[in-house]
């Protein structure tokens, strides 16, 4: 079981998500999972995650809306909390990047 669940709130910005995942992959510690909380559903995101999951040092869970019915970010964050496997949760917005010591700070 991971010690930390990192929840990334995400909406249609795959380039930003790639940068966040890259930064998280360079962390000094890797005992965490990532939960992508997508307030939409796009094939590009699903395809990217399916093709790239093996490149990351951590598991990725992808929660998404079945259809875009407007702003439902908070509902998706609630789903992310329910799917978390760790007792400690860290919330990152889809445009926030971390340095390589983020996980070290929380451990």
């Amino acid at each position: 079981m991971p010690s930390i669940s990192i929840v990334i709130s995400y909406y249609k910005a795959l380039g930003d998500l790639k940068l966040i995942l890259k930064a998280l992959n360079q962390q000094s510690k890797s005992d965490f999972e990532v939960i992508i909380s997508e307030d939409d559903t796009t094939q590009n995101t699903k395809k990217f995650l399916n093709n790239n999951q093996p490149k990351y040092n951590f598991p990725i869970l992808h929660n998404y809306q079945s259809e875009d019915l407007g702003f439902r970010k908070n509902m998706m964050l609630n789903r992310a909390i329910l799917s978390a496997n760790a007792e400690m949760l860290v919330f990152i917005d889809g445009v926030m990047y971390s340095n390589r010591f983020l996980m070290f700070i929380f451990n």
Side-chain angles (χ1 to χ4, degrees), residues 15 25 35-36 45 72 81 91 97 100:
N25 209 40
I35 303 169
I36 298 171
T45 302
R72 297 185 295 169
I81 291 168
F91 294 86
Y97 309 112
R100 67 186 201 96

Side-chain angles (χ1 to χ4, degrees), residues 32-80:
F32 62 91
E33 68 180 355
V34 168
I35 303 169
I36 298 171
S37 175
E38 184 177 8
D39 186 15
D40 190 17
T41 181
T42 61
Q43 290 303 315
N44 288 342
T45 302
K46 289 179 188 178
K47 184 177 177 181
F48 169 76
L49 293 173
N50 287 335
N51 292 339
N52 292 283
Q53 171 68 56
K55 296 179 183 178
Y56 298 108
N57 302 323
F58 46 83
I60 299 175
L61 294 96
H62 181 208
N63 293 333
Y64 54 88
Q65 302 284 4
S66 57
E67 59 184 320
D68 189 351
L69 296 175
F71 184 79
R72 297 185 295 169
K73 175 182 175 181
N74 293 331
M75 183 169 59
M76 289 309 301
L77 290 174
N78 287 335
R79 284 189 195 168

Side-chain angles (χ1 to χ4, degrees), residues 1-10 16-27 29-38 45 48-49 52-53 55-64 76-77 79-81 83-86 88-94 96 98 102-103:
M1 177 157 53
S3 62
I4 299 172
S5 295
I6 300 174
V7 178
I8 302 171
S9 179
Y10 167 72
D16 291 340
L17 180 63
K18 289 177 181 180
L19 290 173
I20 293 168
L21 293 174
K22 180 179 178 181
L24 291 174
N25 209 40
Q26 297 171 353
Q27 291 299 302
K29 297 192 180 245
S30 61
D31 183 24
F32 62 91
E33 68 180 355
V34 168
I35 303 169
I36 298 171
S37 175
E38 184 177 8
T45 302
F48 169 76
L49 293 173
N52 292 283
Q53 171 68 56
K55 296 179 183 178
Y56 298 108
N57 302 323
F58 46 83
I60 299 175
L61 294 96
H62 181 208
N63 293 333
Y64 54 88
M76 289 309 301
L77 290 174
R79 284 189 195 168
I81 291 168
S83 67
N85 293 302
M88 180 183 290
L89 282 74
V90 174
F91 294 86
I92 296 178
D93 195 51
M96 179 181 162
S98 64
L102 179 68
M103 292 304 100

